[in-house]
Amino acid sequence: MGEAIVITSGKGGVGKTTTTANIGAGLAQAGKKVALIDADIGLRNLDVVMGLENRIVYDLVDVVEGFAKLKNALIKDKRFNENLYLLPAAQTRDKTAVTPAQMRDLVTAMKEEFDFVLIDCPAGIEQGFKNAVAGSDKAIVVATPEVSSVRDADRIIGLLEAEEKHHPLLIVNRIRPSMVKKGDMMDINDMIEILAIELLGVVPDDEFIVVSTNRGEPALLNAQSRAGEAYRNISRRLTGENVPLMKLDDESAGFFGRLRKIMGIKG
Amino acid sequence: MFDLFARVFGREDASKDVAKERLRLVLVHDRASLSPQALENLKNDLLKVISQYLDIDDQGFRVDFSRNDDAMALVANIPIKKKAGRML
Ligand SMILES: Nc1ncnc2c1ncn2[C@@H]1O[C@H](COP(=O)(O)OP(=O)(O)OP(=O)(O)O)[C@@H](O)[C@H]1O
Ligand SMILES: [Mg+2]
């Protein structure tokens, strides 16, 4: 019996889809059997972030309505042996096309076959959110170090509590160490203190994320990507490994530090 | 650079401290589902009721949320006016 994890945030655009894709890739690389569900019905994105958009035949709504079999709707990501699959969202329907009860049944069935079922939640607190969390055993809340994002995260933590989803885990995304150092960005401790939840990981703001998204390849596949490294660590933590937070001071190492890094010299 | 200058000479708070302070305030109201305006109304009502029994110094009257760890409390500070020539 696998574990279902919903990736949520409240606020839009903070990195839920990026996080789902990369943690999925990380878990698959670690040898786990993983299914990703794009629960953002009407605004599907996970397929393009993963680079699988050309292979969609059926979607989540087709499966829920019994129009397609789950195994025919799942797209296998060939880069990860037999380990990573995507169930795409429907693009021409809306959130009301499925109910929380249907999602719960679907996720329960998928947990029989997969070690991890990751659910990419849409932004907002309406039915899309309720659908996405319905079948989950665990919740990851993604927030960026900004007032509006942290405020929405706090709201989501309250709503998760109301849905009896206790002890969510926090991922702080798009941290910029140089700004933190100058006192112009909230740091990790500030955010944990305010939200009072457990930290799962910290992901730096990283240009490789944009490059990877352009190419449709999870950043984690790029050995140079700091964000990719952070997501690899997060995946290992989810499998129960104890991995320390990575040091995030590279960016502030100054011109020579950066030059050394470009030239591949370890400082 | 000017930013850093201003900060060193204490003319401007680090913007993250401003962010934290603002967050703390909005979250208190979010979590209690009580807007700043509603809190103001509560304050005025409280003042009216208590004034029927005591002579309150409404200049020093304060009602605020306070949070420690898990619990949240509404804390009121209600100074009572001294009667002329008498210790309370
Ligand atoms: N660590 C990062 N560094 C740089 N860019 C990032 C990072 N994380 C996310 N982004 C960028 O931010 C944008 C939004 O990310 P993403 O689509 O993952 O957010 P989302 O929370 O799923 O959004 P939505 O609420 O619309 O579903 C994307 O353009 C993505 O490339
Ligand atoms: Mg998304």
Side-chain angles (χ1 to χ4, degrees):
Chain A
M1 188 74 158
E3 184 176 35
I5 306 176
V6 63
I7 290 94
T8 182
S9 70
K11 186 172 161 62
V14 298
K16 295 176 291 296
T17 301
T18 305
T19 297
T20 308
N22 280 284
I23 295 181
L27 289 169
Q29 259 189 350
K32 303 291 176 191
K33 214 172 165 208
V34 185
L36 311 179
I37 302 181
D38 188 346
D40 202 344
I41 300 173
L43 285 172
R44 86 173 162 217
N45 266 168
L46 191 51
D47 55 336
V48 286
V49 172
M50 301 286 298
L52 299 173
E53 68 275 16
N54 292 327
R55 300 190 29 221
I56 297 178
V57 183
Y58 299 114
D59 58 48
L60 187 152
V61 176
D62 294 329
V63 174
V64 165
E65 289 180 344
F67 182 70
K69 285 216 173 77
L70 175 62
K71 72 171 185 347
N72 296 331
L74 285 170
I75 303 166
K76 177 162 61 176
D77 188 332
K78 292 175 184 144
R79 292 164 295 194
F80 298 89
N81 299 321
E82 303 284 309
N83 282 340
L84 187 58
Y85 294 79
L86 168 69
L87 180 58
Q91 180 70 331
T92 54
R93 306 289 292 273
D94 67 59
K95 326 271 176 204
T96 57
V98 295
T99 66
Q102 286 171 323
M103 283 298 288
R104 201 174 304 121
D105 292 346
L106 175 69
V107 172
T108 307
M110 289 175 76
K111 286 199 301 183
E112 297 287 334
E113 279 184 61
F114 293 93
D115 299 319
F116 287 93
V117 178
L118 304 184
I119 306 155
D120 182 13
C121 183
I125 56 175
E126 313 299 333
Q127 181 165 356
F129 167 78
K130 294 209 168 79
N131 283 340
V133 304
S136 67
D137 305 305
K138 198 188 252 181
I140 293 176
V141 176
V142 182
T144 59
E146 289 169 279
V147 175
S148 54
S149 172
V150 176
R151 179 191 199 177
D152 289 2
D154 189 78
R155 187 81 207 287
I156 281 294
I157 292 166
L159 291 172
L160 285 167
E161 196 69 36
E163 302 270 335
E164 314 244 333
K165 311 286 176 189
H166 305 292
H167 308 298
L169 302 168
L170 176 69
I171 290 182
V172 178
N173 190 21
R174 309 197 73 161
I175 271 275
R176 291 171 64 175
S178 61
M179 290 192 73
V180 172
K181 205 170 170 191
K182 277 196 295 182
D184 271 331
M185 184 177 268
M186 282 185 281
D187 64 33
I188 311 305
N189 290 332
D190 297 332
M191 292 178 64
I192 302 175
E193 184 197 331
I194 289 169
L195 293 173
I197 69 172
E198 194 186 326
L199 182 70
L200 176 62
V202 181
V203 181
D205 193 75
D206 184 356
E207 290 176 7
F208 279 114
I209 293 283
V210 181
V211 177
S212 314
T213 310
N214 287 343
R215 298 189 196 281
E217 289 169 358
L220 187 132
L221 291 175
N222 186 329
Q224 281 179 299
S225 166
R226 299 284 285 158
E229 187 183 343
Y231 281 124
R232 206 169 307 122
N233 290 345
I234 288 170
S235 309
R236 286 167 63 196
R237 286 183 201 118
L238 287 173
T239 64
E241 256 187 88
N242 197 342
V243 187
L245 286 180
M246 66 186 212
K247 281 235 165 8
L248 284 177
D249 43 18
D250 266 3
E251 196 196 338
S252 52
F255 176 70
F256 288 105
R258 245 174 289 148
L259 193 65
R260 269 206 305 268
K261 228 182 95 187
I262 293 165
M263 292 165 54
I265 304 167
K266 290 244 161 66
Chain B
M1 194 61 213
F2 175 75
D3 258 20
L4 195 69
F5 228 61
R7 217 168 280 156
V8 168
F9 292 100
R11 281 203 279 130
E12 193 185 57
D13 285 343
S15 71
K16 80 141 188 185
D17 294 327
V18 180
K20 272 173 74 175
E21 200 39 51
R22 291 176 56 216
L23 252 174
R24 230 184 281 280
L25 241 133
V26 257
L27 288 188
V28 159
H29 289 284
D30 283 0
R31 286 171 183 168
S33 311
L34 197 71
S35 68
Q37 185 53 53
L39 180 63
E40 199 51 41
N41 296 346
L42 183 152
K43 237 155 129 174
N44 291 335
D45 287 349
L46 206 59
L47 192 65
K48 244 182 276 164
V49 173
I50 298 176
S51 302
Q52 293 171 9
Y53 301 88
L54 289 164
D55 207 4
I56 299 173
D57 166 17
D58 47 8
Q59 288 307 304
F61 183 69
R62 294 266 177 286
V63 180
D64 274 304
F65 287 108
S66 114
R67 179 167 86 101
N68 45 22
D69 297 333
D70 257 3
M72 205 155 70
L74 191 67
V75 178
N77 188 11
I78 311 167
I80 298 165
K81 275 197 189 132
K82 263 195 214 161
K83 291 251 165 60
R86 285 195 57 190
M87 285 288 288
L88 270 173

